[in-house]
Amino acid sequence: MRLDAVIADAVERLSPITDTARLDAEILLCKTIDMPRSYLFAHPEDELDALSRDRFETLLMRRLQGEPMSYITGTREFWSHELLVSPATLVPRPETELLVELALREIPRTAAWEVLDLGTGSGAIAISIAAERPLCSITATDASADALAIARQNVRQADLANVTCLSGNWTEPVADKQFTIIVSNPPYVREDDEALNDLRFEPLSALASGKDGLNDIRILATLCMPLLTNDGWLMMEHGADQKDAVAAVLEEAGWREITCHNDLAGLPRVTAARRNGK
Ligand code: GLN
């Protein structure tokens, strides 16, 4: 079968499950034949041999069952980095780039701050901040050893000397340290949210957080305060419908200057707060 026919057939089968059927089909075919996408356009008449056909079909079936492209290809773009991902890590989302942007807005280029990323997963947030602020030291923690192994590979691949990955629950591995800024994309989905079904390939422990989705945000609101410098920042991603609830949690825990920021879709997505204000 010709490459263009293989793509056309795959697009038809993928269309009911994704808005990016053509792109997905092309990427899966490129992975199968280990060629860049430009090859598909230059050689549409190439024949796909039987062995490659089988391998392509295996990848296509995974996608048709709803597995995210990132787990099939093993990588995901975030900020300016091509990151390894695995089922042990969440697939980094574009909206999480807002958290990076807000952190960078507060960290002067010349600052040599201690920065903490809690529940780093693939390391996306820690790596993005570390690359933009080479004078800062970033500590990234995760309770999942498998996720942390991926984060460490990503740090190595990005050739960063200013990120340290530590294994443990939230702030447990950094109990005696002080930071000027703490960032986190914690789990925040309600445990009975039907959206979790669409996210079934991703680690539940990185997504769901109790009845109202706020269990971990409540924990972080308490744990982070004593680890920050007097004017230090806490910035957390949360659900689009959790703005007021997160503000209430932070207020109750004594945080100041609580401010919510919208993501590119215009949805409330990251709340920042300070230990003591300026
Ligand atoms: N943003 C993710 C979603 O698609 C959730 C990520 C998280 O819980 N931190 O729902």
Side-chain angles (χ1 to χ4, degrees):
M1 206 169 176
R2 287 166 52 120
L3 295 184
D4 54 1
V6 172
I7 293 171
D9 172 65
V11 169
E12 201 178 312
R13 292 163 67 193
L14 284 166
S15 290
I17 70 134
T18 169
D19 295 336
T20 54
R22 175 158 299 273
L23 181 64
D24 290 7
E26 288 174 1
I27 290 171
L28 295 178
L29 188 52
C30 289
K31 186 172 164 68
T32 306
I33 62 175
D34 196 19
M35 286 289 181
R37 261 172 81 214
S38 55
Y39 187 91
L40 303 179
F41 311 122
H43 303 276
E45 73 292 343
D46 265 20
E47 290 288 326
L48 195 63
D49 62 59
L51 189 65
S52 301
R53 185 78 236 229
D54 282 353
R55 286 180 34 223
F56 178 70
E57 187 61 26
T58 304
L59 299 181
L60 187 60
M61 284 309 295
R62 287 172 64 183
R63 184 69 187 117
L64 286 168
Q65 278 153 22
E67 189 169 343
M69 281 297 290
S70 298
Y71 289 156
I72 304 175
T73 61
T75 62
R76 173 75 167 202
E77 290 268 338
F78 183 85
W79 206 251
S80 56
H81 305 275
E82 168 120 336
L83 299 172
L84 300 172
V85 293
S86 86
T89 72
L90 211 62
V91 175
R93 309 285 203 270
E95 56 266 31
T96 302
E97 293 188 343
L98 171 65
L99 183 51
V100 174
E101 206 177 301
L102 293 170
L104 293 177
R105 211 181 279 173
E106 296 307 332
I107 310 173
R109 288 192 176 274
T110 52
W113 288 2
E114 292 288 338
V115 179
L116 176 61
D117 174 21
L118 294 171
T120 197
S122 64
I125 299 166
I127 287 167
S128 304
I129 295 175
E132 301 281 349
R133 294 291 182 273
L135 300 179
C136 289
S137 297
I138 323 298
T139 305
T141 75
D142 206 289
S144 158
D146 291 341
L148 218 57
I150 298 286
R152 288 197 172 108
Q153 283 186 62
N154 282 325
V155 170
R156 214 172 305 132
Q157 194 166 286
D159 203 16
L160 293 168
N162 58 335
V163 182
T164 308
C165 298
L166 299 176
S167 169
N169 213 12
W170 293 134
T171 59
E172 196 179 67
V174 290
D176 52 355
K177 277 194 76 169
Q178 275 240 308
F179 300 90
T180 309
I181 178 159
I182 301 178
V183 291
S184 183
N185 174 17
Y188 55 70
V189 180
R190 284 186 300 277
E191 64 188 10
D192 63 354
D193 193 327
E194 283 172 13
L196 287 172
N197 190 42
D198 290 336
L199 306 173
R200 65 192 177 283
F201 287 90
E202 297 185 79
L204 189 61
S205 61
L207 289 166
S209 189
K211 279 196 165 47
D212 60 359
L214 294 169
N215 278 8
D216 288 285
I217 285 177
R218 271 188 289 267
I219 289 171
L220 294 183
T222 305
L223 284 179
C224 292
M225 178 87 70
L227 294 184
L228 282 173
T229 54
N230 200 37
D231 56 353
W233 292 88
L234 170 63
M235 297 181 180
M236 292 186 289
E237 180 174 323
H238 52 74
D241 58 354
Q242 292 173 328
K243 174 183 168 177
D244 294 342
V246 169
V249 166
L250 289 169
E251 213 171 297
E252 169 84 27
W255 293 86
R256 311 267 178 88
E257 291 185 38
I258 301 162
T259 317
C260 182
H261 301 264
N262 290 354
D263 62 19
L264 282 175
L267 301 171
R269 183 62 62 191
V270 174
T271 293
R274 299 185 88 172
R275 179 171 172 170
N276 268 318
K278 278 189 229 284

